[in-house]
Amino acid sequence: MKRPLYLCAGLLAVALGAVGIALPLLPTVPFMILAAFCFARSSPALEARLLNHPRFGPHLMAWREKGAISRRGKWSATIAFGVSIAIGFAALALPWSLVPVGAAVLCLGWIWPKPEA
């Protein structure tokens, strides 16, 4: 029963990651990391495809081996959060406009101390 659920979750994560390629506010690599995790428990062939992918494979391997995030990835996340904060302040009233700020503080506080790939 778990295997089909992991497979569905992995496919959903790949789909969200693919959407994230076009939308700058939706991260791609974290969804691919989640997909690799799910595929490791459901489909070794799909996991191998992700790990051997020329674009995502190196990031996934760095995460698995060292828990590392590239400096470019860290800066991309920071810029995306900055854009989200600006949109939040432009489109939302207080206190809701502070939600992107809180998310950025939590997420960037977790991302930046990670080792670099």
Side-chain angles (χ1 to χ4, degrees):
M1 181 66 180
K2 286 183 183 180
R3 194 172 164 136
L5 292 175
Y6 275 120
L7 181 62
C8 288
L11 294 171
L12 178 63
V14 167
L16 289 172
V19 170
I21 292 170
L23 297 175
L25 301 179
L26 190 64
T28 299
V29 173
F31 283 115
M32 295 303 170
I33 290 171
L34 176 61
F37 172 85
C38 292
F39 290 153
R41 285 147 183 79
S42 63
S43 173
L46 290 175
E47 177 192 23
R49 279 186 75 178
L50 271 182
L51 294 178
N52 294 322
H53 190 277
R55 178 68 129 166
F56 304 120
H59 297 289
L60 295 171
M61 294 305 292
W63 178 256
R64 278 196 173 173
E65 292 170 2
K66 301 178 228 160
I69 301 170
S70 70
R71 179 162 296 251
R72 183 174 181 220
K74 290 178 180 183
W75 277 110
S76 295
T78 301
I79 291 166
F81 275 115
V83 170
S84 295
I85 289 168
I87 291 170
F89 277 121
L92 302 169
L94 283 172
W96 298 108
S97 61
L98 297 176
V99 170
V101 175
V105 168
L106 288 173
C107 293
L108 294 174
W110 181 82
I111 289 171
W112 276 99
K114 296 292 179 199
E116 291 187 6

